[in-house]
Amino acid sequence: MPPPRDQQALVAAARLYYEEGRSQHEVAKALDISRSSVSRMLTAAREHGIVRIEINDPTGRDMDLEAELAERFGLRDCRVAEIHSGDRPLQRVGDLGARWLLDTIQPGQRIGVSWGTGLQALVQSIPDEGGLDVEVLPLVGGLSAVDTAISGEELVRDLAGRLGGRYQRLHAPALLTSKEGRDVLLAEPSVQATLDAARRVQVALAGIGRVGRGSSASLVTAMNLSEQERAGLDAAGPVGDVCARFFDAAGKAVTGPADDRVLAVSLADLAAIPTVAGVAAGPEKADGVLGALHTTVLDVLICDSSLARALLSERGAVA
């Protein structure tokens, strides 16, 4: 530390500059010293701990983790909510996702929406201001097997209302008990038209599920698979789903009876959409999100810091 007299001079300069908001020129005049001396004194005050600068990011983002995730997995963009003790990760991820969406969408664009608690949190964080000329479309049919509050149909309508835009309905369930039943509905002109429009959205918001948890577990139950069909699905090693489309740890789509009963855009359809943002929260989702990243469908990931660290602890990157 500098001598006491010098310390007093540093404190005086620091108070005038940082607490009273005076310019360096004004500080120099008040202390009867040169402006260059003021600059050196302020630097010394920081170096000796007399002044400590703390930056409080109101957005609550962990930009270091964002950069690591983007580099590791080849993402175009990433948002990571910094989580502290007592925080609710899902709510924080929803808020950050809403900010990202409002910064991203442009007038006249179409937005596709799947389902899930992550997307519900995002939609509910959108201020009810309206005035945006956008159209919101479902990426997947309705799902009675999960809470209706997080189903695609509800989220599509709610998001359109908050943005002040239009929306389309997909008058068909997401899951059928047979491929034949699914194909009958796919042949309906209204269903075809809505799915075709969903494939042409500019921005897609997709919840990411992990097999065996939450809505992903409900999906398998609702498919009413035979014992042999369920064994075949398990043998394929699914780790997660996006739009009710399952994939394995390497990001390969899981085909077969389970996939044949889904009425939704495919993983290949999603890959053709210009911007696809995956939304998830919690380290328990890591296996599903990692598989989703390996599909290379995702351009953007919105998650919390605990999930981000779990993903980065896994070996390997997207090829």
Side-chain angles (χ1 to χ4, degrees):
M1 289 292 291
R5 181 176 297 178
D6 290 344
Q7 289 182 40
Q8 292 174 6
L10 296 181
V11 169
R15 287 191 184 281
L16 290 170
Y17 184 75
Y18 290 106
E19 292 185 350
E20 297 185 18
R22 300 196 194 187
S23 67
Q24 291 190 19
H25 176 75
E26 291 171 331
V27 173
K29 187 174 181 181
L31 298 180
D32 194 24
I33 56 178
S34 68
R35 184 171 177 175
S36 59
S37 295
V38 172
S39 179
R40 288 194 296 270
M41 291 171 72
L42 294 175
T43 299
R46 292 195 299 271
E47 290 175 347
H48 292 293
I50 294 171
V51 171
R52 295 177 182 174
I53 298 175
E54 180 178 308
I55 298 175
N56 181 27
D57 181 0
T59 64
R61 292 168 54 184
D62 190 321
M63 294 187 179
D64 289 339
L65 286 177
E66 290 177 0
E68 287 187 66
L69 283 172
E71 182 178 0
R72 172 80 67 88
F73 298 108
L75 294 165
R76 188 190 313 156
D77 199 358
C78 189
R79 294 289 186 274
V80 175
E82 192 173 28
I83 301 301
H84 302 286
S85 177
D87 284 347
R88 298 170 61 186
L90 199 61
Q91 184 176 338
R92 294 281 297 106
V93 168
D95 180 64
L96 210 55
R99 293 169 186 257
W100 174 85
L101 180 63
L102 292 173
D103 288 342
T104 299
I105 55 174
Q106 301 294 325
Q109 286 190 326
R110 285 177 164 179
I111 306 166
V113 176
S114 67
W115 65 48
T117 54
L119 288 193
Q120 180 190 33
L122 186 157
V123 170
Q124 291 180 345
S125 296
I126 299 285
D128 194 3
E129 296 178 353
L132 285 176
D133 178 26
V134 297
E135 184 175 26
V136 185
L137 295 106
L139 297 171
V140 62
L143 187 66
S144 59
V146 299
D147 184 352
T148 56
I150 63 173
S151 71
E153 184 177 353
E154 291 293 325
L155 295 179
V156 164
R157 182 167 57 245
D158 191 8
L159 180 59
R162 290 171 183 270
L163 295 176
R166 307 172 305 283
Y167 68 94
Q168 291 190 32
R169 295 176 181 270
L170 183 53
H171 297 286
L175 302 175
L176 284 299
T177 55
S178 69
K179 179 180 184 299
E180 292 74 22
R182 192 274 312 268
D183 290 346
V184 168
L185 286 176
L186 283 177
E188 289 291 326
S190 62
V191 173
Q192 284 184 5
T194 302
L195 283 176
D196 284 344
R199 296 182 181 102
R200 297 194 301 271
V201 299
Q202 286 79 37
V203 178
L205 302 173
I208 304 171
R210 178 190 171 187
V211 165
R213 297 184 65 92
S215 60
S216 288
S218 300
L219 288 176
V220 176
T221 301
M223 287 175 180
N224 195 29
L225 298 172
S226 68
E227 188 173 325
Q228 183 178 1
E229 290 170 337
R230 178 58 191 266
L233 175 62
D234 292 340
V239 296
D241 73 280
V242 171
C243 294
R245 303 292 189 179
F246 289 101
F247 44 79
D248 63 17
K252 181 182 177 182
V254 174
T255 58
D259 194 59
D260 290 340
R261 300 178 188 191
V262 174
L263 197 152
V265 298
S266 67
L267 293 179
D269 291 332
L270 285 172
I273 293 172
T275 301
V276 179
V279 182
E284 66 277 3
K285 285 281 191 82
D287 289 346
V289 176
L290 192 62
L293 289 166
H294 282 289
T295 67
T296 67
V297 162
L298 302 181
D299 305 292
V300 180
L301 178 64
I302 302 166
C303 67
D304 66 288
S305 54
S306 65
L307 174 53
R309 291 189 180 93
L311 293 171
L312 290 167
S313 71
E314 299 288 342
R315 292 185 178 181
V318 172

